[in-house]
Amino acid sequence: MTAEWWFQDDDETLVWDGRPRWSAAIGGITAGVVLVAVAVAAAVLVDPRLAAGSLLGVGIAVWQVLRVRHTSYRVTSRAIWHKQGVVGRTVRRVGLPQVQNTAYSQSVTGSMFGYGTVTVEVAGGRDLKLRRIDDPETVRRTITDLIEDTDTDRELPGSPEQWRDVLSVIRDLTTAID
C-alpha cells in the first residue's frame, strides 16, 4: 500500500492503520459464482453462447475483491482517514476536532469472529464508517482517547483578564435589561 493518498504533518503520528476484512467481499463473490454456474448450466442446457454470461459473474467477483483491497482506514494523532475506489479514488479526512461522537457495532458473526463497524459522527458532515474492521471496540476507544487528549491540549483564546472584561460587559448588559 502506498502512502500517496494521505499526508502527515511533522508532529502527527500514525496511530492505527486498517482495512476491511476479506469477508466483506463474500456477498459479491457468491453472487459472481452463482452467475457463473447459471451461465454454464444455461450454456449446457440451452445454447453454448450463453456461457459468455459467466464473464459477468467473474467480473462481479473480481470487482468485490478489488473493492475491499482498495479500501483503507487510518487514524493519526490529528485525523481519521478513509480511502476507497477501484477505478477512481475517494479520500476523506476528518480532523479530530470535528468528531462529535464514536460508536461501534458488531453483528452476531462479528462478535464471534472479532470484527465490526466503527461509526464516527462528524460535525457538519456525514458520518464516517470504518466497516468490517478487526477489533472495533479497541479502534473506537483509540479514537475516543485521541479526542480527549486533543480536548485537554486546547487552550481558551485570550487571557484571564480579557475573559473578566467579557464577564463584566455581560453583567452590565444583564443589569441594563432588567
Side-chain angles (χ1 to χ4, degrees):
M1 173 175 16
T2 63
E4 297 170 2
W5 61 271
W6 73 294
F7 61 87
Q8 186 176 2
D9 292 332
D10 292 337
D11 59 344
E12 188 174 11
T13 58
L14 180 63
V15 178
W16 179 83
D17 186 26
R19 63 179 36 187
R21 285 183 160 212
W22 285 107
S23 62
I26 286 177
I29 292 170
T30 302
V33 168
V34 167
L35 191 56
V36 167
V38 168
V40 168
V44 170
L45 298 173
V46 180
D47 185 355
R49 293 178 291 184
L50 294 175
S54 63
L55 294 176
L56 180 61
V58 171
I60 290 172
V62 168
W63 181 262
Q64 291 301 313
V65 169
L66 288 175
R67 186 181 57 79
V68 170
R69 174 76 176 103
H70 290 278
T71 299
S72 297
Y73 309 114
R74 288 203 171 147
V75 177
T76 70
S77 56
R78 289 190 172 184
I80 303 166
W81 293 82
H82 174 224
K83 177 196 69 109
Q84 65 183 16
V86 177
V87 177
R89 179 184 294 171
T90 301
V91 177
R92 183 168 179 210
R93 178 188 185 275
V94 174
L96 292 178
Q98 283 74 46
V99 175
Q100 290 187 322
N101 197 13
T102 60
Y104 79 96
S105 60
Q106 290 180 292
S107 63
V108 172
T109 55
S111 294
M112 289 173 32
F113 298 112
Y115 67 87
T117 298
V118 173
T119 303
V120 178
E121 294 179 16
V122 180
R126 68 185 194 284
D127 292 351
L128 181 65
K129 293 188 183 242
L130 286 59
R131 299 177 194 275
R132 292 186 81 102
I133 58 172
D134 290 326
D135 199 8
E137 183 178 7
T138 301
V139 174
R140 188 210 58 83
R141 191 177 315 117
T142 299
I143 294 170
T144 303
D145 290 347
L146 287 168
I147 294 166
E148 290 172 359
D149 288 347
T150 57
D151 284 344
T152 58
D153 291 344
R154 282 191 217 151
E155 294 182 22
L156 289 175
S159 66
E161 183 59 37
Q162 289 171 324
W163 282 107
R164 282 188 203 95
D165 291 342
V166 169
L167 180 60
S168 174
V169 169
I170 291 173
R171 284 183 179 153
D172 291 343
L173 287 171
T174 304
T175 303
I177 291 172
D178 290 339

